[in-house]
Amino acid sequence: MRNTFGHLFTLTTFGESHGAAIGGIVDGMPAGIDIDTDFIQQELNRRRPGQSSLTTSRQEGDRVELLSGVFEGKSTGCPIGFIVRNENQHSQDYENLRTLFRPSHADFTYYNKYGVRDHRGGGRTSARITISRVVGGALAKLVLQQQGITIQAYTSQVGDIALDKDYHRYDLSLTEQNAVRCPDPEKAEEMAALITRVKAEGDTIGGIITCVVKGCPVGLGEPEFDKLHASLGAAMLSINAVKGFEYGDGFDIVSRRGSEVNDHFVPRDNGSACCDGIATERIATTATNHSGGIQGGISNGEDIYFRVAFKPVATLLQEQETVDLEGNATTFTARGRHDPCVLPRAVPVVEAMAAMTILDHLLLKNSARLE
């Protein structure tokens, strides 16, 4: 199993949903970065269960313990080890799943690949594993903040209730002011009502998260197999329940003409160039941004924006058909505490994966040539 993300800035994760703890090791963290533990905890609080009636009722403090790599409040450049202890497992809720394969879960594929699986809450496949990603992402954000790079994700669609795709139309600072994490208060109420209704029916629903990266410099992304949008796509598609990724105008662009969607360059007032022709500052900007801030797989200095589609949570509190370990047909009804919609708690996870991806490529860019 590959449990490590990244090239220069890496995160290796461990743990299971009903094990003793979730944890990880971050390597490649630049030295001398102020480590704001309150900020890291705040990011975890945005992801933790039990924060509203729209999420699972599992109660976990999700308190992070930094074990290494930090001295007198600053990163040392050494690996940062951390754990978050599990405190509120109800493993007995999953006993009826010991010999069954849950529909649209990883039970069947894991069992056939490894010959063994942890049936308690999905074990390693549980969304609880994203705790480690959020911690790694928080550390990456602390570095990016010093570079003037910000990352903001928000819920842009739940079911058929959707915001306009243009993020400029919204005040993204309002995102954290409601349980859905939607910057449109009226739409947020509609989304919350839909999630509540679906939850009462023992069902689930999916949606879309939009993410905007501002302040990203020109030049992030490798020219062939590690294009920036490919890395972002791989990062997002590694998140539990993600079924799709698009950046810029995405699939909408296929019905338009090149003359409509080409991003024309215009002069930038503060641009300048060295005598050898290598730009020291951005010499141009684009009149539009249909490309989503990435051209040829490399960032062009404009806002990077993308959308991530999440499927409805696979665990339903309804009777479903399945088979047991011997292939016999049977039915079951899931028990326990589950999210009717993953979107509200997935917002910080999307931000975390984006932050680690951007920082990793920033470090790769800085190693590409001697200044």
Side-chain angles (χ1 to χ4, degrees):
M1 296 177 67
R2 175 163 167 78
N3 298 290
T4 299
F5 174 84
H7 298 87
L8 298 183
F9 181 91
T10 66
L11 169 69
T12 301
T13 72
F14 64 84
E16 294 82 34
S17 176
H18 286 237
I22 307 295
I25 299 174
V26 168
D27 205 356
M29 181 74 175
I33 302 297
D34 290 330
I35 303 300
D36 185 345
T37 54
D38 289 338
F39 173 75
I40 298 172
Q41 188 60 54
Q42 177 185 331
E43 293 293 278
L44 276 175
N45 291 345
R46 296 171 65 210
R47 193 225 69 95
R48 71 177 177 82
Q51 56 186 278
S52 80
S53 61
L54 304 180
T55 66
T56 172
S57 60
R58 180 171 175 170
Q59 295 296 318
E60 294 278 2
D62 285 355
R63 305 299 301 181
V64 64
E65 302 173 39
L66 301 182
L67 305 178
S68 63
V70 179
F71 179 68
E72 295 184 342
K74 291 185 180 294
S75 59
T76 64
C78 298
I80 298 178
F82 63 88
I83 61 170
V84 173
R85 301 181 189 277
N86 294 324
E87 300 172 340
N88 190 229
Q89 310 98 312
H90 287 181
S91 299
Q92 67 276 7
D93 290 341
Y94 299 90
E95 191 57 33
N96 67 322
L97 305 178
R98 180 182 291 273
T99 60
L100 302 177
F101 297 123
R102 295 170 297 171
S104 290
H105 280 275
D107 299 349
F108 179 80
T109 51
Y110 260 61
Y111 184 75
N112 279 273
K113 181 176 178 66
Y114 299 106
V116 63
R117 69 180 177 92
D118 185 346
H119 67 280
R120 305 166 303 164
R124 184 71 174 151
T125 71
S126 169
R128 185 156 178 76
I129 305 305
T130 59
I131 282 175
S132 298
R133 299 170 182 237
V134 173
V135 175
L139 290 167
K141 281 185 176 182
L142 291 174
V143 182
L144 296 179
Q145 287 170 5
Q146 293 192 7
Q147 303 296 315
I149 301 172
T150 63
I151 298 173
Q152 173 74 69
Y154 60 92
T155 299
S156 56
Q157 183 169 341
V158 173
D160 59 359
I161 302 171
L163 303 188
D164 186 281
K165 290 186 178 180
D166 184 0
Y167 64 90
H168 295 96
R169 294 170 56 90
Y170 303 100
D171 180 358
L172 301 189
S173 68
L174 300 178
T175 299
E176 293 296 317
Q177 295 188 13
N178 57 74
V180 184
R181 295 199 162 91
C182 171
D184 183 321
E186 292 184 4
K187 288 288 187 180
E189 289 186 9
E190 294 180 35
M191 292 174 179
L194 176 57
I195 295 172
T196 299
R197 186 164 64 252
V198 167
K199 180 181 179 180
E201 297 169 355
D203 215 334
T204 62
I205 196 162
I208 294 174
I209 289 175
T210 297
C211 187
V212 182
V213 182
K214 291 181 174 289
C216 189
V218 180
L220 270 59
E222 301 302 300
E224 185 60 21
F225 298 112
D226 277 324
K227 290 178 168 65
L228 183 57
H229 61 270
S231 294
L232 285 168
M236 298 306 142
L237 290 166
S238 74
I239 301 172
N240 306 58
V242 169
K243 302 297 285 186
F245 169 85
E246 65 175 6
Y247 73 103
D249 283 1
F251 286 99
D252 291 343
I253 211 167
V254 303
S255 61
R256 305 178 70 182
R257 299 189 180 190
S259 58
E260 297 178 283
V261 298
N262 274 3
D263 293 320
H264 297 166
F265 288 105
V266 295
R268 187 177 177 91
D269 292 340
N270 66 348
S272 63
C274 296
C275 57
D276 61 2
I278 297 176
T280 56
E281 298 180 36
R282 286 180 60 196
I283 61 174
T285 185
T286 56
T288 54
N289 190 19
H290 301 291
S291 301
I294 302 172
Q295 293 169 329
I298 298 174
S299 61
N300 65 5
E302 304 299 323
D303 290 352
I304 296 170
Y305 64 95
F306 57 86
R307 292 162 25 106
V308 186
F310 286 79
K311 72 174 184 178
V313 176
T315 300
L316 313 181
L317 300 183
Q318 300 177 359
E319 185 175 82
Q320 298 185 77
E321 296 178 350
T322 190
V323 298
D324 61 21
L325 298 182
E326 282 74 45
N328 301 310
T330 186
T331 62
F332 82 105
T333 300
R335 300 193 294 264
R337 303 158 296 175
H338 308 282
D339 288 286
C341 178
V342 74
L343 275 294
R345 296 175 59 213
V347 166
V349 180
V350 168
E351 290 181 2
M353 296 307 297
M356 289 191 289
T357 302
I358 295 297
L359 177 55
D360 196 30
H361 275 279
L362 184 63
L363 296 173
L364 286 168
K365 173 182 181 291
N366 291 341
S367 68
R369 76 170 189 229
L370 295 176
E371 297 293 346

